[in-house]
Amino acid sequence: TYDRAQSALRESRRLAEAAGDPLTRAEAAQDLGAILTSRGRPAESIPPFEQARELFEAMGAPSDAALVRALQARAYSAMGRSAEAAAAIREAVTRARELGHPDTLAHVLYHVGSAALADGRPADAFQYLHESRRRHHAARDLRWEAICWARLAHAELAAGRPEAALGRAEKALAMESGLGDAFCSGLARAAHGRALLRTGHRRQALATLRCALADLQDHSAHEAAHVAALLAATEGENSAA
């Protein structure tokens, strides 16, 4: 479970510090920050992210530091700290482009796109996520390409384009069908269900959202709370009717 993972990562940081192993310490701090953010506890993720970034910079690992900065942008967005999120996005993307490492840039673009989306900037999110998807496609990384399609579906919804969101969510689900990735499936189904609601397909939307909730809860993703709230509100409307 994620609780056990957090405990193991905290212990790994402690042991790595005692052993004078900055690489393990940095990686454990990065992973801990990512888990805390994904579980809806972004404020707690900032200190480990800062530690990871400082350690990576000191070791001469700028690609890793750029990725941590992108992850930090997502935490700031989740906390509503827009100015800090925007600064982190600019720094992460600039650094990743300067370094020219395709894999790093693809992942940085995904995370800053997700941050921009959470910060209420769907146009920026779409630009970053679309480039990330193209780069993952070129690298033949099907899992990350599918996740990008799912996030793009949410960006389309945020921009008021539910029909386009349906198509992008369907691409994600088609690609994910052979991967068995619960998070990707849940993320895509959440977008698909929301798009179905907006286009008047309530019964199908509810079924899809229930599947999305199960997938996201299986992954302990913070997005599950949003889907649960939407389901409760929609089912409540049905009861009232």
Side-chain angles (χ1 to χ4, degrees), residues 40 75 85 94 107 179 196 206 230:
T94 298
H107 285 289
L179 302 174
L196 287 168
L206 287 171
L230 178 58

Side-chain angles (χ1 to χ4, degrees), residues 15-228:
L15 292 172
E17 183 175 11
D21 181 352
L23 177 58
T24 299
R25 190 179 171 200
E27 290 174 341
Q30 176 183 315
D31 289 346
L32 176 61
I35 287 176
L36 289 168
T37 302
S38 72
R39 299 196 71 191
R41 295 158 59 186
E44 296 176 48
S45 75
I46 298 299
F49 279 148
E50 284 291 348
Q51 181 185 69
R53 190 160 65 103
E54 290 171 4
L55 287 166
F56 282 133
E57 291 283 7
M59 287 185 288
S63 291
D64 294 297
L67 181 57
V68 172
R69 192 65 170 137
L71 291 166
Q72 219 170 10
R74 295 189 67 176
Y76 284 133
S77 291
M79 296 162 66
R81 292 163 61 172
S82 297
E84 288 159 294
I89 287 171
R90 288 193 299 271
E91 183 181 332
V93 173
T94 298
R95 193 72 180 276
R97 291 198 191 282
E98 288 173 349
L99 292 167
H101 298 162
D103 185 61
T104 297
L105 181 56
H107 285 289
V108 164
L109 288 166
Y110 168 77
H111 289 299
V112 300
S114 299
L117 182 58
D119 204 36
R121 294 184 284 121
D124 290 342
F126 190 87
Q127 176 185 344
Y128 292 131
L129 290 167
H130 191 57
E131 183 181 351
S132 178
R133 188 207 64 78
R134 291 200 314 268
R135 290 180 176 278
H136 284 299
H137 176 77
R140 298 183 180 181
D141 190 331
L142 296 182
R143 176 179 183 266
W144 277 101
E145 185 181 0
I147 291 174
C148 285
W149 277 123
R151 286 285 182 203
L152 281 163
H154 286 276
E156 296 284 17
L157 284 166
R161 299 188 291 263
E163 292 83 3
L166 284 171
R168 298 188 187 281
E170 286 162 4
K171 284 182 180 290
L173 289 167
M175 192 169 289
E176 185 279 330
S177 64
L179 302 174
D181 188 299
F183 174 69
C184 179
S185 175
L187 195 65
R189 283 179 171 149
H192 202 253
R194 290 173 58 201
L196 287 168
L197 268 182
R198 294 192 192 181
T199 53
H201 300 85
R202 183 177 294 267
R203 182 177 297 179
Q204 188 180 354
L206 287 171
T208 302
L209 289 169
R210 290 186 191 108
C211 290
L213 180 60
D215 284 339
L216 292 170
Q217 286 177 332
D218 183 61
H219 194 77
S220 298
H222 74 276
E223 288 90 350
H226 301 294
V227 175

